[in-house]
Amino acid sequence: MIEFTDTEFMICTAARLLEDRKTVFVGWGMPQLVAMLAERLYTPSLVQIFEFGAIGPQSLIPFVRGTMGGPSNVYRSLQWSNMNWAFAYAGTGYVDYGMIGAAQIDTFGNVNSTLLGGTYERPARRFPGSGGGNEVASLCWRTILVMKHEPRRFVERLDFMTSPGYLDGPGGREKVGLPRGTGPWRVVTSKALFGFEEETKRLTLLGVLKGLSVPEVLDGMEFRPLATDLVEEIAPPADEELRVLREQIDPSGIVIRGEKMRAAR
Amino acid sequence: METILQGTAEIRFTHPDAFREWVREHKRREMVEKLMTEGEAVSRCVADGDYIAYDFSSLTRGPQALVREIIRQRRRDLWICAEFTLHESALLVGGGCASRIDVGFLGYGNYIGRAVSDGRVRVFDWTNGALASRMLAGARGVPFMPVRTLLGTDTLRHSGARVVHDPFTGDPVCLVPALNPDVFLVHVHQADVFGNARIFGTNLFALEAATAARKVILAAEEIVDPLEFRKDPARTTIPYFLVDAVVHLPFGAYPGGVQARYELDLEHIDKVNAIQSEEQMQAYLAEFIYGVQDHADFLNRKVGWHRLQDLARRATIREGYH
């Protein structure tokens, strides 16, 4: 058996999705660790873009939390620019992948990161809002969403749609004027990996963590994701992934801590 | 152009001609010395009801000393542009200074979330990119900027953006209104007494916001000889004529850091983030803001020489920041 946290599983699964020699728009927090891990183990030539204008940083480790714009996180970039230029690169189609978090998603991969419950004026819980998430989800070719696996986060109707997925289905993005050919591509959770079916643009289960059953993963969701004929078994974090994460990237455990999980190797 | 959809947010909007006329009347073209204390700068440039923007982030090169001075002078009914804003939005709300927030990213800590839920502060949702585009429009002297974001979302519906058919492609496009803040606060690495300034490293929209704002308060880690700018003009981030006040504020981004000068003080930042109740907030403000005379007094009595030297020693990454 191997022991890990739900956060470590998300980071490792997402890191395995990234493609080398491509560009990725990296959001604040967990996506930074995903990119750091991928850069060290899988995609040494991945070019990261931060929304405030750091292009191609080679962030130093250990990870310095909080200040994405600080010297260690934007170390040895190719360019230091500003926000309007970072989004200019995304707007003109230079950014292949984008990676953002979510509080809720629906079947079309639309994202809520603004509020839960209550009314807009008096929300029961208020979150930071879009940040640059709406730009990433609107402009990058393929968006990867990273979210803790809790059934209540998969809803029929979002409390607030912060950033666009496929909106109301096929053709929805183009109809409102979003750049064509863009949209959510994968959803990485702490138990599973989802994609979107080509025809219907609906959330589709692609894989589950080794040892979990499909019903265990889908139970309690407000809608039932589609499933491919062969739902893959996702390997738990490998020793090497955990070693790099725990010893090199986040030795203080500030981001990688979480709910304890275990799986057979 | 027919409006297809219109967001519901209240917006602060200035006709580009009104802004141009304001600049013609009020912004000095001659090079005059603008060095003053933070107390003078805030009392001259920041009025109740003003719209305030700042650069860069709460944790890196943010104008924290200026924000503390605004709270100390108890400005009221401010509308703030919360882009990359973490604890200073909470402090401004806690100090009773801010009543409205345009949100790009509004973090963190429970205090600000609860203030929104309780209706003590009104928020209008935008995005980081939309606010940066609004600032660019404000800086260009045009009434709006077209963007291909926000479209299809509740963020758009609760923002002040509008959707129209673009006359060139015929497709729907989102228009965000120009933003011309009353005041822009920026902390820079180097400035001269006239207001020429250099920022090293990345920024949000420093030049856009300095151009778009009616008044600009510059806080500088270091005051340098004006000749330095003429010797190396490609490195000038902000030219003097945009600037109204220059304040020499070493360690002015504390508890955040300034690249290559000093690291952030995570211990102090965690203390601010841990604030949950009104009581805790008022205790913090009393000790660290109302209870000191100015920034120098704050550094002397609340941070201390040893702490500052330690933070400076930890700023070991220098390359690129000169």
Side-chain angles (χ1 to χ4, degrees), chain A residues 28 51-55 60 64-77 79-85 87 91 110 114-115 120-136 138-139 158-165 167 173-180, chain B residues 56-57 59-60 83-84 86 103-108 112-114 116-121 123-130 132-133 135-136 148-159 163 171-173 200-206 208 258-260 263-264 266 270 317 319-321:
Chain A
W28 189 63
E51 63 178 323
F52 48 81
I55 313 298
L60 290 176
V64 178
R65 69 189 161 103
T67 176
M68 201 175 178
S72 66
N73 284 315
V74 301
Y75 190 63
R76 298 219 164 146
S77 301
Q79 185 188 16
W80 285 337
S81 182
N82 57 34
M83 185 166 280
N84 278 316
W85 278 110
F87 289 132
N110 300 306
T114 301
L115 58 85
Y120 177 72
E121 288 73 22
R122 298 288 185 92
R125 284 190 69 194
R126 173 75 210 196
F127 302 122
S130 161
N134 184 290
E135 278 76 23
V136 171
S138 296
L139 303 175
L158 301 174
D159 292 8
F160 189 96
M161 195 206 293
T162 311
S163 303
L167 300 175
R173 289 174 70 92
E174 291 77 5
K175 196 169 63 197
V176 300
L178 289 167
R180 67 176 172 245
Chain B
F56 168 51
S57 87
L59 305 186
T60 304
E83 175 135 354
F84 266 41
L86 302 174
V103 175
F105 180 94
L106 179 66
Y108 38 69
I112 190 74
R114 199 161 302 148
V116 174
S117 297
D118 293 348
R120 276 186 292 148
V121 59
V123 296
F124 306 107
D125 274 274
W126 297 83
T127 67
N128 280 351
S133 295
M135 215 62 94
L136 181 60
R148 296 184 77 194
T149 55
L150 280 78
L151 293 155
T153 64
D154 290 329
T155 310
L156 192 154
R157 278 182 274 278
H158 288 280
S159 76
V163 181
D171 297 335
V173 70
F200 305 136
T202 59
N203 67 93
L204 291 183
F205 42 45
E208 291 95 318
V258 168
Q259 305 97 320
E263 273 296 306
L264 63 169
L266 276 172
D270 285 343
I317 301 170
E319 59 183 47
Y321 301 109

Side-chain angles (χ1 to χ4, degrees), chain B residues 130-142:
Chain B
L131 291 172
S133 295
R134 293 186 63 193
M135 215 62 94
L136 181 60
R140 287 288 182 88
V142 297

Side-chain angles (χ1 to χ4, degrees), chain B residues 57-198:
Chain B
S57 87
S58 305
L59 305 186
T60 304
R61 204 181 46 70
Q64 305 305 335
L66 294 177
V67 169
R68 284 190 288 267
E69 182 60 30
I70 288 174
I71 297 170
R72 197 176 296 119
Q73 293 196 19
R74 299 179 192 261
R75 288 291 176 279
R76 289 292 176 266
D77 200 27
L78 301 177
W79 189 337
I80 61 178
C81 179
E83 175 135 354
F84 266 41
T85 178
L86 302 174
H87 54 259
E88 68 271 48
S89 49
L91 296 179
L92 283 163
V93 170
C97 308
S99 57
R100 284 170 289 192
I101 307 180
D102 281 339
V103 175
F105 180 94
L106 179 66
Y108 38 69
N110 291 324
Y111 183 86
I112 190 74
R114 199 161 302 148
V116 174
S117 297
D118 293 348
R120 276 186 292 148
V121 59
R122 289 177 66 197
V123 296
F124 306 107
D125 274 274
W126 297 83
T127 67
N128 280 351
L131 291 172
S133 295
R134 293 186 63 193
M135 215 62 94
L136 181 60
R140 287 288 182 88
V142 297
F144 61 83
M145 194 59 65
V147 296
R148 296 184 77 194
T149 55
L150 280 78
L151 293 155
T153 64
D154 290 329
T155 310
L156 192 154
R157 278 182 274 278
H158 288 280
S159 76
R162 297 180 187 194
V163 181
V164 299
H165 282 294
D166 157 32
F168 293 95
T169 61
D171 297 335
V173 70
C174 178
L175 308 181
V176 295
L179 183 54
N180 292 102
D182 294 305
V183 187
F184 176 53
L185 312 174
V186 59
H187 190 85
V188 303
H189 286 81
Q190 296 177 330
D192 67 15
V193 293
F194 307 118
N196 293 300
R198 286 173 177 163

Side-chain angles (χ1 to χ4, degrees), chain A residues 18 39 57 60-61 64 97 114 161 163 174 179 208-209 221 263:
Chain A
L18 292 168
E39 188 186 356
L60 290 176
I61 52 175
V64 178
Y97 293 92
T114 301
M161 195 206 293
S163 303
E174 291 77 5
V208 298
L209 170 62
M221 292 185 191

